[in-house]
Amino acid sequence: MDELRNRAKELFEKGEIDIFIGYEQGTRNPRPIFVGNAEDTQKLVFNDKCTGNLAVYLTRKDLVKGKRVGISASYYALKSIVQLFVENQLKEENLKIFGLANDGKIEALNSLDEIKHYIKDTPPPPKLEDDELIKQIDAMSSAERWAFWSDELSKCFKCYACRAACPMCYCTKCIVEVNRPQWIQPWASTLGNMEWQINRVMHMAGRCSDCGSCSTACPIGIPIHLLTHKMSETVKANFGDPSDKGNVLSTFKPEDKESFIL
Amino acid sequence: MEKKYISHNSLMNWLTKLNDEGSQIYAPVAKGDKTDYKQITSVEEISMDHIQTTQSAKAVAFPRTEKLFSYKKENGDVTLQNFETTSIPETVVFGIHPCDAAGFKPLSGIFNWDTPDLPFNERMKRTTLIAVSCTQCDEFCFCTSVNGSPGNTAGSDILLTPVKDGYLAEIITEKGENLADKHSTFFEADPNINKEEYLAKVPVQFSLEELNKKISNMFESPVWKQQSERCLGCGACAYVCPTCACFDIQEDAHGSSGNRLRCWDACGFSLFTMHTSGHNPREVQSQRWRQRLLHKFSYMPERISVRGCTGCGRCSRACPVDMNIAEHLTEIASL
Amino acid sequence: MMDNSNIYLPHLMTIEKITQEAPGVKTFRLKFKDEEAGNNFEFKAGQFGEYSAFGEGESTFCIASSPTRKGYIECTFRETGKVTSALAKLEEGQTMGFRGPFGNTFPMDEWKGKNLLFIAGGIALPPMRCVIWNALDTRENFGDVSILYGAKSVADLVYKHELKEWDERPDVRLATTVDPGGETSDWKGEVGFVPSVLEKMNPSPENTVAIVCGPPIMIKFTFPVLEKLGFTDENIYTTLENRMKCGVGKCGRCNVGSQYVCKDGPVFSKVELEALPAEY
């Protein structure tokens, strides 16, 4: 933790950044903080409870526009950052990134290539609990699965915390807010809630870092990250690892499987 | 106000009886680590171990989605079917805490400001609130900072305070009296107990007087930007809040007929105030965070003489990035 | 309003007449289907309503006709969003909805004996047209009536027939202008933006109320000109157009500080406007 504080402090002292996005101690768990000077870097913390994906703030124009930004990024946040680069949302020269490994090691990642190598060389933090839940859901009959998701999604009140917490949801006008035509019912109801989640997950295909922030953010506790987690697996199995040539929704390759077209 | 005693068993039997007689009962039901109000069919489902349910009980009178009226179009002509009041069932909400019961006053203030809101009022008319005093609290609770208390009777029709094996029952309103009188045999004589001894000790986090003094004159303060930096702009805080009442009106069209719906909305959303022209009076999140706090602590007291916060702490618990409202209010009060 | 009435239930209105004012801009003349509701309906200049296209929703516009003209109301709108596009598809004889009147009014009584100067830009003439006709129909109550109206182009000018009528009236002084490049070969009005034409017009502030309505950019540059001409804030009025859903102070969209545009507005004097936080 001291190392993170000192290295962030150093960036300020050298005049290399204007703000540093990290975690500070919150009410129960660490929460995001925007450090604006060398002194305040001493508020920074990092531990295994720092789970929110800070990359979500990198596309918030009101916070970062025109600023040189330092950020402490977990494994999943790094994956999101790579994807944001692929989607032309970030500029390398404005970013100083510290990769934060689960073992507490801090690594300065100074270019997109370095992040990519880091991710390649670092095993993803295991998601044993999610894998287990997916296994349980996979084992359900389709009627049981429908009942499970109908019950879970009936509770959704469309606060869109899942969208707000996701680094990939940076659109200024989301499909749920487009009303000509109205693609998705804007009010909360089981079917409309499903439409929303199905759309959200589809838009994440090949882009999702699998960080699980959507679900952590959900105030009702709906395990919606299982949908993106499962989708990530499916995409990987069918289309291979994501490349920097775009995501599976926006690219077409002649060898793409089209088993879904009857 | 009449005081009585009811044992736990009698309470459960009373609720069962009310349910059997046709009242729908909403009560806290636990699933996983979350507890929320649900319509129950058996008292077995009720769970009282929680400190706070995820959502408030406001949906009883202000559902997340509600039909305001229906329409039918035929050859360019239209017929309307008004809001149906007769189908609203008698409802008993059991197990809300005093902070939730108190929340119905600001809600009613908004929905009755000069023009009474038929759907809200018709639902309230048929709803009886049986609250249960708090015997435990957590670090997010701050009812005592906003003139509430864990045993506050305001807003409840009946307030039960857990004492020994049963409850001290304070029958507060006529509605509460009617409900208790329906089955008076379940109740026993006033146990003559000092209920304060049984209540949670909720520490006062800030001076309301100081807050009131400062908050109405700080529209231009830099505090809003600084406090709101991490705010993600979702609607979680508003949706779990017992007093947030902002809504949208939408059309649920099915061919030539359909319904006009009212659904929850939130001032934290970036498009909430966006004009069709693209002009947005509240362009950035700091303006929206300011709106949230000023609306609750300055505009509502000024315009409808009631504060838009009961200190339940739900918004802080629900926030994905720990926008702790009591912490922010404490900061403002000590500016 | 009676306790058991539903404030969200619109009146059904028959579209009696549709006038195409400009590209994408139409005026509807509406008549209450329920005769009794029509007879009981009263409003004052400046008030607004919520207009329904059933199947699409509601949209907020002022009442564009004058309260002195009984038996109908009119609204003028531009096709911009989901609801206005649906309204624009309706035909004469068909049914739409109306809720209102909502909001406050222009203080026509206070203005008795004064000169009126109307300054409007683009699609903001409709809220002012209500006041203009109200003043012209009770002409003896007011001094000079001057109107300055500007639009992007000649085609975008609304109420072309009425502009002609006002132009021909000896008791009205009318100036029309279009943005540079928006003129046609036979255009006889001014060419230039509203604030500079106003400066050229050089109206006297003496015993005069200025009513300004237009896009934010026009208002921003018109106020300083009025100030320069000697108009005090007490004698400048405008009407705000915040996003609204309910129209009756509940849905939470239109408040600017503690003021609700739907209840305390939409009409504000410049004194009141200056007291509002800059969030409109």
Side-chain angles (χ1 to χ4, degrees):
Chain A
M1 212 140 78
D2 282 346
E3 193 191 346
L4 176 67
R5 289 173 179 169
N6 293 339
R7 291 178 74 171
K9 193 172 169 216
E10 206 180 297
L11 287 178
F12 277 110
E13 284 167 350
K14 282 197 206 149
E16 290 182 10
I17 55 168
D18 303 308
I19 54 166
F20 189 88
I21 306 174
Y23 300 94
E24 67 174 341
Q25 189 46 50
T27 315
R28 278 182 191 165
N29 292 311
R31 66 187 178 200
I33 182 180
F34 296 79
V35 174
N37 55 55
E39 197 184 321
D40 285 350
T41 53
Q42 300 313 301
K43 292 181 187 163
L44 291 170
V45 300
F46 189 77
N47 55 44
D48 56 359
K49 283 186 176 145
C50 296
T51 50
N53 188 335
L54 296 180
V56 70
Y57 293 110
L58 292 177
T59 52
R60 279 275 303 275
K61 289 197 179 67
D62 55 333
L63 297 172
V64 302
K65 198 181 174 190
K67 288 182 180 159
R68 293 161 306 156
V69 180
I71 185 169
S72 57
S74 63
Y75 172 84
Y76 290 109
L78 287 171
K79 276 184 77 178
S80 299
I81 289 172
V82 170
Q83 186 60 32
L84 287 171
F85 269 115
V86 169
E87 297 176 16
N88 293 318
Q89 297 301 313
L90 302 178
K91 281 191 189 130
E92 225 169 69
E93 61 270 26
N94 289 345
L95 261 185
K96 296 280 174 203
I97 299 161
F98 292 135
L100 298 169
N102 277 357
D103 57 11
K105 264 193 210 134
I106 295 167
E107 197 159 336
L109 300 164
N110 293 317
S111 69
L112 178 57
D113 277 342
E114 282 183 34
I115 305 173
K116 281 185 182 164
H117 279 121
Y118 179 88
I119 292 173
K120 216 171 151 196
D121 298 341
T122 312
K127 293 193 162 243
L128 302 176
E129 212 175 302
D130 291 349
D131 290 336
E132 179 54 35
L133 282 167
I134 295 259
K135 215 186 276 172
Q136 283 174 20
I137 294 170
D138 278 346
M140 292 178 182
S141 68
S142 59
E144 286 168 333
R145 218 178 301 158
W146 178 255
F148 173 81
W149 284 112
S150 298
D151 177 49
E152 287 294 341
L153 291 170
S154 68
K155 296 184 275 187
C156 168
F157 50 22
K158 288 205 171 156
C159 70
Y160 298 123
C162 46
R163 178 181 73 180
C166 177
M168 289 305 128
C169 282
Y170 55 76
C171 293
T172 47
K173 196 169 188 182
C174 172
I175 186 169
V176 290
E177 276 132 4
V178 173
N179 67 5
R180 297 172 73 191
Q182 189 98 59
W183 295 102
I184 296 166
Q185 292 176 348
W187 57 88
S189 69
T190 305
L191 209 61
N193 297 346
M194 285 183 171
E195 287 172 348
W196 155 237
Q197 283 302 335
I198 289 167
N199 265 278
R200 193 182 71 84
V201 172
M202 287 301 284
H203 283 194
M204 291 302 145
R207 307 169 65 226
C208 173
S209 73
D210 203 12
C211 69
S213 283
C214 48
S215 190
T216 315
C218 178
I220 314 268
I222 307 172
I224 42 179
H225 70 298
L226 295 180
L227 296 170
T228 42
H229 183 60
K230 171 78 181 175
M231 191 265 319
S232 296
E233 283 178 2
T234 308
V235 165
K236 202 171 166 186
N238 286 280
F239 301 95
D241 271 322
S243 73
D244 49 12
K245 293 195 179 63
N247 61 67
V248 293
L249 260 192
S250 62
T251 55
F252 172 77
K253 283 182 275 180
E255 62 272 26
D256 280 349
K257 290 172 189 165
E258 290 177 351
S259 53
F260 59 91
I261 298 175
L262 297 173
Chain B
M1 177 178 47
E2 209 179 347
K3 287 184 187 175
K4 292 179 179 180
Y5 173 85
I6 187 166
S7 71
H8 184 75
N9 275 345
S10 292
L11 173 66
M12 291 301 127
N13 291 337
W14 180 45
L15 291 173
T16 304
K17 202 99 184 180
L18 292 171
N19 196 13
D20 291 346
E21 287 166 0
S23 287
Q24 58 173 21
I25 314 269
Y26 278 85
V29 175
K31 194 184 173 197
D33 59 350
K34 309 261 183 199
T35 303
D36 247 323
Y37 299 106
K38 271 204 181 118
Q39 192 188 337
I40 56 161
T41 48
S42 153
V43 290
E44 307 289 314
E45 296 170 63
I46 299 174
S47 150
M48 293 304 291
D49 300 331
H50 61 284
I51 287 176
Q52 195 63 279
T53 53
T54 305
Q55 296 188 60
S56 77
K58 74 176 168 192
V60 169
F62 174 39
R64 61 179 190 178
T65 307
E66 171 158 66
K67 187 162 85 181
L68 297 170
F69 65 86
S70 315
Y71 65 86
K72 203 171 180 179
K73 294 194 280 190
E74 231 164 349
N75 308 323
D77 204 1
V78 175
T79 46
L80 301 179
Q81 174 75 50
N82 202 353
F83 175 78
E84 190 57 67
T85 56
T86 48
S87 61
I88 303 171
E90 287 293 327
T91 301
V92 171
V93 185
F94 169 76
I96 57 172
H97 286 323
C99 52
D100 248 347
F104 285 97
K105 192 181 169 200
L107 273 188
S108 177
I110 294 167
F111 285 118
N112 285 294
W113 188 21
D114 295 345
T115 41
D117 186 288
L118 183 75
F120 176 84
N121 287 333
E122 290 294 326
R123 289 188 190 278
M124 276 315 278
K125 232 188 258 175
R126 292 166 179 76
T127 301
T128 310
L129 304 173
I130 306 176
V132 177
S133 299
C134 300
T135 52
Q136 47 178 350
C137 65
D138 68 10
E139 67 271 44
F140 293 109
C141 292
F142 65 102
C143 61
T144 48
S145 305
V146 287
N147 283 350
S149 79
N152 186 17
T153 54
S156 305
D157 294 304
I158 296 174
L159 178 65
L160 305 173
T161 303
V163 293
K164 292 170 191 159
D165 308 324
Y167 302 84
L168 165 73
E170 294 171 275
I171 320 285
I172 300 144
T173 64
E174 206 182 311
K175 240 192 225 171
E177 209 174 286
N178 290 340
L179 207 65
D181 285 352
K182 265 190 183 173
H183 304 286
S184 53
T185 50
F186 288 127
F187 291 88
E188 297 164 42
D190 180 358
N192 262 322
I193 276 174
N194 175 14
K195 81 172 182 184
E196 296 298 324
E197 286 172 24
Y198 297 87
L199 300 177
K201 304 277 174 282
V202 184
V204 176
Q205 298 200 32
F206 54 85
S207 152
L208 186 60
E209 204 185 324
E210 283 299 314
L211 178 73
N212 288 344
K213 232 192 290 175
K214 282 160 188 159
I215 201 162
S216 303
N217 303 311
M218 50 182 291
F219 192 89
E220 303 293 349
S221 166
V223 81
W224 308 118
K225 189 171 180 300
Q226 167 236 317
Q227 287 188 349
S228 67
E229 273 178 329
R230 66 178 180 276
C231 174
L232 293 169
C234 72
C237 50
Y239 287 7
V240 299
C241 174
T243 78
C244 272
C246 286
F247 60 81
D248 191 4
I249 296 178
Q250 287 284 347
E251 208 91 330
D252 179 21
H254 304 274
S256 61
S257 63
N259 307 309
R260 184 150 302 164
L261 303 179
R262 152 157 80 196
C263 52
W264 290 356
D265 209 337
C267 63
F269 290 138
S270 61
L271 302 183
F272 186 64
T273 51
M274 173 87 101
H275 295 197
T276 317
S277 67
H279 170 67
N280 193 350
R282 295 185 209 130
E283 241 182 328
V284 290
Q285 205 56 35
S286 55
Q287 292 174 308
R288 305 190 270 268
W289 173 248
R290 171 173 65 191
Q291 169 65 19
R292 178 171 169 76
L293 292 202
L294 287 183
H295 189 238
K296 291 181 171 304
F297 291 93
S298 172
Y299 309 155
M300 284 177 67
E302 183 188 329
R303 301 309 299 270
I304 55 173
S305 308
V306 58
R307 202 175 303 106
C309 176
T310 65
C312 73
R314 281 195 182 83
C315 52
S316 309
R317 290 185 201 92
C319 181
V321 290
D322 193 31
M323 294 285 287
N324 184 323
I325 194 170
E327 186 187 324
H328 287 138
L329 294 169
T330 305
E331 191 182 343
I332 292 166
S334 57
L335 275 177
Chain C
M1 195 162 291
M2 274 156 61
D3 263 358
N4 60 352
S5 64
N6 183 358
I7 49 177
Y8 305 104
L9 190 73
H11 291 291
L12 292 177
M13 314 294 279
T14 305
I15 304 171
E16 275 200 320
K17 193 177 145 206
I18 298 176
T19 312
Q20 184 83 42
E21 305 284 1
V25 180
K26 283 181 176 177
T27 296
F28 282 4
R29 177 169 293 190
L30 306 172
K31 201 177 165 187
F32 286 83
K33 289 208 154 204
D34 177 350
E35 212 172 305
E36 200 191 329
N39 291 336
N40 292 335
F41 182 78
E42 277 180 15
F43 75 101
K44 284 187 168 168
Q47 291 190 287
F48 68 94
E50 295 290 337
Y51 300 79
S52 288
F54 294 103
E56 301 294 342
E58 279 183 325
S59 200
T60 316
F61 338 110
C62 63
I63 302 175
S65 54
S66 165
T68 51
R69 314 272 169 110
K70 307 279 184 201
Y72 64 87
I73 57 167
E74 286 179 332
C75 64
T76 302
F77 60 92
R78 178 155 47 201
E79 256 180 81
T80 35
K82 184 185 177 202
V83 177
T84 45
S85 301
L87 285 174
K89 287 198 188 82
L90 294 176
E91 293 165 11
E92 286 179 1
Q94 290 191 322
T95 303
M96 57 181 275
F98 170 78
R99 292 193 293 127
F102 299 135
N104 71 347
T105 68
F106 285 102
M108 302 290 290
D109 288 337
E110 278 176 39
W111 294 348
K112 275 185 185 165
K114 294 195 176 193
N115 305 317
L116 304 179
L117 167 65
F118 297 96
I119 306 164
I123 188 69
L125 186 58
M128 209 150 289
R129 175 200 188 224
C130 165
V131 197
I132 294 174
W133 278 121
N134 194 345
L136 295 181
D137 287 347
T138 53
R139 190 66 188 84
E140 65 282 5
N141 287 338
F142 304 98
D144 294 342
V145 172
S146 314
I147 303 166
L148 164 58
Y149 174 47
K152 257 193 198 121
S153 71
V154 176
D156 286 315
L157 293 164
V158 299
Y159 306 133
K160 291 190 180 69
H161 289 291
E162 286 159 75
L163 290 174
K164 196 163 166 256
E165 197 180 332
W166 295 338
D167 198 27
E168 284 164 1
R169 278 178 77 134
D171 59 352
V172 176
R173 182 182 171 203
L174 174 76
T176 47
T177 182
V178 294
D179 292 356
E183 69 270 29
T184 50
S185 54
D186 57 347
W187 173 243
K188 295 198 177 58
E190 305 278 342
V191 176
F193 296 107
V194 166
S196 48
V197 177
L198 174 67
E199 206 163 354
K200 219 168 75 182
M201 257 177 101
N202 194 24
S204 161
E206 190 66 38
N207 195 34
T208 303
V209 177
I211 304 114
V212 189
C213 197
I217 186 86
M218 186 206 95
I219 303 229
K220 190 181 160 193
F221 288 105
T222 300
F223 280 165
V225 175
L226 284 171
E227 207 174 312
K228 208 167 125 190
L229 290 168
F231 283 83
T232 57
D233 287 358
E234 293 79 21
N235 288 312
I236 302 174
Y237 285 81
T238 189
T239 163
L240 292 183
E241 293 191 334
N242 280 46
R243 187 169 160 81
M244 294 173 192
K245 287 283 180 173
C246 72
V248 287
K250 307 193 193 304
C251 78
R253 264 172 190 70
C254 72
N255 56 329
V256 183
S258 65
Q259 300 296 295
Y260 285 68
V261 174
C262 68
K263 286 173 74 74
D264 307 300
V267 176
F268 291 91
S269 73
K270 188 147 178 282
V271 177
E272 293 164 329
L273 207 62
E274 297 289 325
L276 292 180
E279 216 176 64
Y280 49 85

